Amino acid sequence: MHLLAIISGFILDLLVGDPRWLYHPVRLIGKLIEILENVLRKAFPKTGKGERLAGLFLVVLVCSMTTGVAFGVLYAAYYINFWLGFAAEVLMCYQIFAVRCLKDESMKVYYELEKGNLEGARKAVSMIVGRDTQSLTKEGVTKAAVETIAENTSDGTLAPLFYMIIGGPVLGWFYKAVNTMDSMVGYKNDKYINFGRYGAKFDDVMNFIPARICAIFMIIASFLMGLDANNAAKIFKRDRFNHASPNSAQTEAVMAGALNIQLAGDAWYFGKLYKKPTMGDANRNIEYVDIKRANDLLYATAIVALLILGALRVLLQVASVGLII
């Protein structure tokens, strides 16, 4: 039944996405992070060591409170009625996934570029990336969108699924809390270089295994879709560490290889130019339709991951029952 809840939540995400009228719990986590940041910054010395200690407390408090609430809601729902508990579990799983939301937001960039509205495309891509977008060219906007799709194929799809398969929505929301912290305080600028250090490092740890599994599943999905799976595997082996993050390049390298394009390279963040290596070979110029191709690979990877990880969970359950008998 727990696996059925995960599958049902996955299907709901693909069908419904993230409707604006439904208040998403991630916004509550974000608000919690904002409140705790203000409190902790006042409570600890304004030194590098003090800010790092405050950031550590932030990680502990946000993770424990998020996980505690998730467990409490699920426990109470199942205590009242089995089917109420199952419905709550499906809803909790559904809200952890971000496949449809990622596709919808990135396709806004695609549609603006299709209309020839570069300024609109820059605005749309600024909603899903952390870099400066006001001076990006058409190719730069497209590259930014494709890169964020590649990275979030792991962060928004595989990693949540991986942790839900292991520990249900409670562990899934634990991961979501870590990932939300990283997106809010995990920057290497003056404000967060110390305060956000533990949040960013913990996110790296949580995503270490999922990112690598996701890259393998992306290569399989590339083959099934008729993309260049051989090149995807080649670029993955060659360029998967061409990023400051130990995880982001894993899936970006596969995406670059599968589409036969070059990703990454220098980018501006908060008005500062960061020199970054590239991933993939410029076998052809990137074009805005690559956003659609990247989303197709996102969906294919998500389905492959659900089938394989779901099957592994069933096999492990059957094996454990056999050992007990």
Side-chain angles (χ1 to χ4, degrees):
M1 293 300 291
H2 296 305
L3 181 57
L4 182 60
I6 294 171
I7 295 172
S8 300
F10 178 83
I11 295 172
L12 262 179
D13 176 64
L14 295 188
L15 294 176
V16 181
D18 185 17
R20 294 186 180 278
W21 56 265
L22 183 63
Y23 193 88
H24 202 289
V26 166
R27 294 169 66 183
L28 290 176
I29 298 175
K31 182 59 67 175
L32 174 65
I33 293 170
E34 287 180 4
I35 294 171
L36 288 175
E37 179 181 352
N38 290 330
V39 172
L40 291 169
R41 282 188 182 276
K42 292 176 182 177
F44 287 85
K46 292 178 174 57
T47 61
K49 184 177 179 180
E51 288 187 351
R52 287 193 294 273
L53 189 57
L56 178 59
F57 270 84
L58 178 75
V59 172
V60 173
L61 290 172
V62 172
C63 289
S64 58
M65 293 171 73
T66 301
T67 307
V69 170
F71 177 82
V73 169
L74 197 59
Y75 181 86
Y78 269 113
Y79 183 82
I80 295 170
N81 179 271
F82 173 81
W83 291 110
L84 177 62
F86 179 72
E89 189 168 1
V90 170
L91 181 62
M92 291 171 71
C93 291
Y94 150 65
Q95 292 187 311
I96 292 172
F97 286 115
V99 184
R100 176 66 181 271
C101 179
L102 177 59
K103 178 189 175 183
D104 288 347
E105 293 302 312
S106 59
M107 286 303 289
K108 290 178 182 178
V109 183
Y110 170 86
Y111 293 129
E112 292 298 333
L113 290 173
E114 188 178 41
K115 293 187 293 186
N117 184 5
L118 180 56
E119 194 56 43
R122 287 170 175 165
K123 183 177 180 181
V125 82
S126 71
M127 305 302 292
I128 58 174
V129 300
R131 73 191 64 180
D132 298 343
T133 63
Q134 61 269 24
S135 300
L136 288 179
T137 62
K138 179 180 177 180
E139 291 74 18
V141 169
T142 303
K143 183 186 291 187
V146 171
E147 287 172 12
T148 200
I149 294 168
E151 181 179 355
N152 284 286
T153 300
S154 177
D155 289 5
T157 305
L158 190 284
L161 176 61
F162 176 79
Y163 286 110
M164 281 190 283
I165 288 289
I166 295 173
V170 175
L171 189 56
W173 276 107
F174 179 89
Y175 168 79
K176 204 70 173 178
V178 174
N179 195 238
T180 304
M181 267 189 296
D182 179 61
S183 67
M184 293 182 66
V185 303
Y187 297 103
K188 293 183 178 180
N189 55 21
D190 292 340
K191 183 178 181 180
Y192 289 114
I193 186 66
N194 289 306
F195 185 81
R197 177 173 297 183
Y198 286 108
K201 293 296 183 184
F202 196 24
D203 183 73
D204 287 343
V205 172
M206 292 290 290
N207 280 294
F208 190 86
I209 294 176
R212 286 148 181 80
I213 295 174
C214 186
I216 295 170
F217 287 170
M218 283 180 74
I219 294 171
I220 296 173
S222 299
F223 172 77
L224 296 175
M225 291 179 63
L227 296 174
D228 197 338
N230 289 332
N231 195 47
K234 169 191 166 186
I235 300 301
F236 168 67
K237 293 176 183 177
R238 192 190 74 188
D239 295 346
R240 63 195 181 101
F241 294 115
N242 287 7
H243 201 286
S245 164
N247 304 318
S248 296
Q250 305 292 321
T251 50
E252 288 184 36
V254 175
M255 183 70 78
L259 298 182
N260 271 294
I261 56 177
Q262 190 173 82
L263 296 175
D266 299 348
W268 290 84
Y269 294 87
F270 304 103
K272 182 179 179 181
L273 177 63
Y274 286 81
K275 307 294 288 184
K276 299 165 64 177
T278 58
M279 284 174 268
D281 299 317
N283 296 328
R284 64 176 180 84
N285 293 328
I286 192 169
E287 51 189 355
Y288 71 87
V289 75
D290 284 317
I291 297 174
K292 188 175 184 300
R293 293 172 182 141
N295 276 313
D296 291 341
L297 184 54
L298 160 70
Y299 268 55
T301 304
I303 294 170
V304 167
L306 182 66
L307 292 174
I308 294 177
L309 293 181
L312 285 175
R313 173 165 175 146
V314 171
L315 289 174
L316 289 173
Q317 288 178 325
V318 170
S320 64
V321 170
L323 288 172
I324 293 173
I325 294 174

